[in-house]
Amino acid sequence: MKKYAFALASLLMAGAQFAQADECSFTLKSNDAMQFDQKAIVVAKTCKEFTLNLAHTGTLPKTVMGHNWVLSKADDAKAVASEGIAAGVDNQYVKPGDARVIAFTKLIGGGETASVTFPVSKLAAGTAYTFFCSFPGHIAIMQGSLTLAP
């Protein structure tokens, strides 16, 4: 009986570790209809790093319907996106060296994926953050909020 109790406790602990690891990453899907499948992301303050995985579930190439994931403070999002357009596709529609950009993925097309990992220490509790796609014109629809859990 003790052997089974130990095995059950081990399994529960492994599950708890897996669940905790999941809090530090998030998969966001994008599509050919210019949409993210989620509008909000919550990052656990216990995470040292956070990984965003972006998947493009559509079929169109990145030259036509490319998507990326860019994170900035909410107040900076529109300016970051606007200046990103001027930076061009070779820069993933993100102005090089833009200090307002907390993290971003490369631009992807249908069937592709991209990931970015950044230190959670770049986030502050109570600050409003916006994630968006900086492909020209996409921020109008493709955006959401990211918050650091209290």
Side-chain angles (χ1 to χ4, degrees):
M1 191 69 157
K2 287 183 184 179
K3 199 184 286 187
Y4 293 116
F6 178 75
L8 179 59
S10 296
L11 284 172
L12 290 174
M13 291 297 288
Q17 289 172 349
F18 180 74
Q20 186 175 10
D22 270 356
E23 292 177 348
C24 299
S25 68
F26 189 87
T27 298
L28 185 67
K29 295 177 185 173
S30 60
N31 61 35
D32 288 341
M34 219 166 71
Q35 298 172 331
F36 286 132
D37 71 334
Q38 301 291 318
K39 294 288 186 188
I41 299 171
V42 177
V43 177
K45 69 178 179 180
T46 56
C47 297
K48 290 193 185 318
E49 293 184 325
F50 184 77
T51 300
L52 185 287
N53 303 299
L54 179 65
H56 192 317
T57 61
T59 59
L60 294 172
K62 67 181 172 185
T63 54
V64 176
M65 189 55 68
H67 300 311
N68 64 359
W69 182 85
V70 181
L71 179 64
S72 71
K73 289 183 179 177
D75 291 343
D76 295 331
K78 289 187 193 246
V80 168
S82 179
E83 292 174 28
I85 292 169
V89 67
D90 290 341
N91 292 306
Q92 314 304 314
Y93 294 112
V94 175
K95 178 181 166 185
D98 192 336
R100 300 167 299 180
V101 175
I102 298 165
F104 69 96
T105 67
K106 69 179 185 174
L107 193 67
I108 59 174
E112 296 179 324
T113 61
S115 296
V116 63
T117 299
F118 62 93
V120 173
S121 61
K122 289 187 170 187
L123 304 175
T127 301
Y129 297 98
T130 296
F131 66 85
F132 57 93
C133 175
S134 66
F135 190 94
H138 287 197
I139 190 173
I141 299 171
M142 296 185 76
Q143 61 178 291
S145 66
L146 184 138
T147 54
L148 183 62

